């Protein structure tokens, strides 16, 4: 199984490249990502978080509770956003950290499935939030970049310490 990359790992800031080959390698990556997401009780994961610079995300709002909930999206793009709401958000690459983050309430996501077929999600609420968070990852954008400026300044001061903590967790 691939290992989860924590904040401080350069892979998280790398912009992922579009997927052009819908082959066994892609399906294996999605399976691996789903296993990592479930292993950490997450509801979403982007390929950068396992060090693969490809535009693939996996989502499972049930956190692995229901068997057929997990799905993968390839080359996802947010093509429309409506409204906004703030809610507590976390990220598997920032263990133990949660913040209220403002996101669009409704988002239209256009993507492809693992076979390359076009898929569209008209998402709302939590699903819209998770999809926006994961698509951000593919562009090297992290949820701490989405904080209101006051909180972001406080965060900047904490980030070097977090990097050290996570580096130790990784070594342990
Ligand atoms: Zn994340």
């Amino acid at each position: 199984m691939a290992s989860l990359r924590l904040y401080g790992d350069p892979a998280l800031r790398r912009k992922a490249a579009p997927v052009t080959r819908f082959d066994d390698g892609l399906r294996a990556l999605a399976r691996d990502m789903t296993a990592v997401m479930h292993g950490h009780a997450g509801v979403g994961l982007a390929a950068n978080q396992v060090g693969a610079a490809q535009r693939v995300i996996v989502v499972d709002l049930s956190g692995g509770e229901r068997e057929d909930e997990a799905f993968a999206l390839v080359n996802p793009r947010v093509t429309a956003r409506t409204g906004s709401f703030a809610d507590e958000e976390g990220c598997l690459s920032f263990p133990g950290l949660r913040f209220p983050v403002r996101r669009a309430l409704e988002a239209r996501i256009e993507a492809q499935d693992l076979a390359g077929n076009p898929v569209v999600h008209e998402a709302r609420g939590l699903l819209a939030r998770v999809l926006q968070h994961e698509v951000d990852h593919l562009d090297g954008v992290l949820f701490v970049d989405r904080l209101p400026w006051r909180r972001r300044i406080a965060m900047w001061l904490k980030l070097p310490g977090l990097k050290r903590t996570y580096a130790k967790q990784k070594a342990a």
Side-chain angles (χ1 to χ4, degrees), residues 10 12 30 32 39 53 64 74 81 89-90 113 126-127 132 156 168:
L12 294 175
D32 213 14
V74 181
R81 291 183 161 90
E89 199 170 306
D113 64 16
L126 179 61
L127 180 59
Q132 291 170 81
W156 281 336
K168 264 187 227 145

Side-chain angles (χ1 to χ4, degrees), residues 30-150:
R31 263 199 311 276
D32 213 14
M33 288 169 59
T34 304
V36 171
M37 170 176 70
H38 285 157
H40 292 86
V43 292
L45 191 80
N48 320 43
Q49 292 178 279
V50 294
Q54 297 189 63
R55 301 189 81 82
V56 183
I57 65 172
V58 292
V59 174
D60 183 349
L61 291 193
S62 85
E65 289 291 308
R66 288 186 299 276
E67 201 140 282
D68 50 358
E69 284 277 309
F71 62 93
L73 293 179
V74 181
N75 300 325
R77 292 177 301 132
V78 181
T79 55
R81 291 183 161 90
T82 321
S84 86
F85 76 123
D87 202 359
E88 286 278 307
E89 199 170 306
C91 177
L92 291 184
S93 295
F94 291 80
L97 216 63
R98 288 187 77 78
F99 289 111
V101 178
R102 188 161 286 282
R103 301 266 184 195
L105 178 61
E106 293 172 321
R108 178 185 169 89
I109 284 83
E110 296 182 43
Q112 286 162 283
D113 64 16
L114 291 171
N117 303 307
V119 286
V120 178
H121 279 272
E122 300 280 1
R124 196 183 150 74
L126 179 61
L127 180 59
R129 171 171 299 279
V130 171
L131 290 171
Q132 291 170 81
H133 178 117
E134 303 311 334
V135 173
D136 266 358
H137 269 300
L138 299 179
D139 292 320
V141 175
L142 300 170
F143 83 137
V144 290
D145 305 329
R146 296 287 187 199
L147 298 173
W149 67 270
R150 227 181 253 280

